[in-house]
Amino acid sequence: MQHLFSAEGEAAITELLRKPALLAFDFDGTLTPIVARADDVQLDPAVAGRLCQLAALRPVAIVTGRSVSDLRPRLGFEPTYLMGSHGAEDESTPAATAARVRQLDPGRQRLAEQAAALNAAGVTVEDKGVSLALHFRLAADPARAQAAIDTQLLGLPTGLRHFGGKRVCNLVPADAPDKADALRALVARSGSRVALYAGDDVNDEPVFEQAPPDWLTIRIGQADTASKARFRLDSPQQTALLLDRLHTHLLQTGRT
Ligand SMILES: [Mg+2]
């Protein structure tokens, strides 16, 4: 996987912006550093300002694992599109979103019954409406926390699926869209022909794996050789530099 800040990366950015492009980003670990307490995160105002400028030139989407209501006040700007719970929460389809909330009820009930055992292992359950997150970022013994989660997954009701992340296990209805589904929907909805997507985690990989070859996909973080992204950047700080480059490119090409 090649670094985006290279001759090949520059050429890929130029090629992408020749076409109507959706500019889409994950949030935690991509636009902002991962911190111990997810509740403390606020987007850097300089990054928010740049995204706001980009949103005036191209549709900008944030596709986050957080709920929409959790994320929106942390942004400091209004993106063109905002999707929560890894693509499962879509404000434009409230009926489908409400159905997914109900589909999670059996899992919600099961985890409520097991809350004491999970808490004892350092796992906290976050109910995001259309997804449930079992966090263990603050667990004293991550292996014990993971074992407690694995035990719960064995007893989960059918009709749910789970996937990992950084010190988290996520539960959603089995047929809920993932981030790849969300990106395809947003490209169509925005009338775009291609997309840029940057993300830092295993749950961003479906986008990288399924992206057409003319999309620009970027994995944020130290090189993960298993990633299917076309390019990499080292950190959210480099994502901020990418936003500057995109803005410069768009102004220079005049294709606004
Ligand atoms: Mg992330």
Side-chain angles (χ1 to χ4, degrees):
M1 200 176 19
Q2 199 148 20
H3 202 285
L4 184 63
F5 295 161
S6 59
E8 291 79 1
E10 280 295 313
I13 291 172
T14 302
E15 186 62 31
L16 179 94
L17 296 179
R18 283 205 182 103
K19 302 170 186 167
L22 174 75
L23 306 178
F25 306 88
D26 166 56
F27 182 68
D28 292 274
T30 297
L31 290 173
T32 187
I34 299 278
V35 298
R37 287 174 46 83
D39 219 22
D40 293 341
V41 174
Q42 193 74 33
L43 187 60
D44 182 327
V47 175
R50 185 60 89 201
L51 284 164
C52 189
Q53 289 175 316
L54 285 170
L57 302 172
R58 290 289 185 274
V60 168
I62 311 292
V63 183
T64 178
R66 294 177 186 258
S67 67
V68 167
S69 62
D70 176 302
L71 185 65
R72 183 166 271 130
R74 301 178 190 280
L75 288 179
F77 82 108
E78 184 65 27
T80 321
Y81 305 104
L82 177 51
M83 282 204 185
S85 284
H86 309 279
E89 183 182 7
D90 182 348
E91 289 181 304
S92 72
T93 56
T97 296
R100 286 181 200 125
V101 174
R102 290 192 298 274
Q103 280 175 277
L104 267 187
D105 279 345
R108 185 174 283 120
Q109 186 179 339
R110 161 86 188 177
L111 292 180
E113 290 163 2
Q114 301 297 322
L118 287 165
N119 289 344
V123 180
T124 56
V125 179
E126 181 187 6
D127 189 342
K128 305 179 192 175
V130 295
S131 73
L132 300 165
L134 290 82
H135 296 282
F136 58 105
R137 200 175 289 173
L138 297 175
D141 183 349
R144 183 185 170 206
Q146 183 66 63
I149 290 172
D150 290 345
T151 300
Q152 295 308 319
L153 294 179
L154 292 173
L156 272 181
T158 57
L160 306 180
R161 68 179 164 86
H162 61 88
F163 53 94
K166 290 179 176 169
R167 298 281 173 94
V168 66
C169 174
N170 304 285
L171 294 173
V172 295
D175 61 354
D178 64 11
K179 287 193 175 188
D181 298 318
L183 260 289
R184 276 191 293 272
L186 289 174
V187 166
R189 197 178 299 171
S190 62
S192 302
R193 287 188 50 207
V194 290
L196 173 150
Y197 182 68
D200 71 306
D201 210 343
V202 290
N203 48 58
D204 299 301
E205 287 294 329
V207 183
F208 304 150
E209 289 166 11
Q210 297 173 40
D214 55 352
W215 287 21
L216 181 46
T217 54
I218 308 150
R219 175 87 182 227
I220 311 298
Q222 295 308 309
D224 179 346
T225 52
S227 177
K228 295 290 193 292
R230 284 176 64 196
F231 292 95
R232 66 179 171 83
L233 287 174
D234 296 333
S235 62
Q237 288 77 16
Q238 290 196 338
T239 310
L241 296 176
L242 167 63
L243 301 181
D244 293 344
R245 287 189 182 209
L246 291 170
H247 190 247
T248 301
H249 269 265
L250 285 170
L251 292 184
Q252 281 175 349
T253 58
R255 290 170 180 270
T256 60

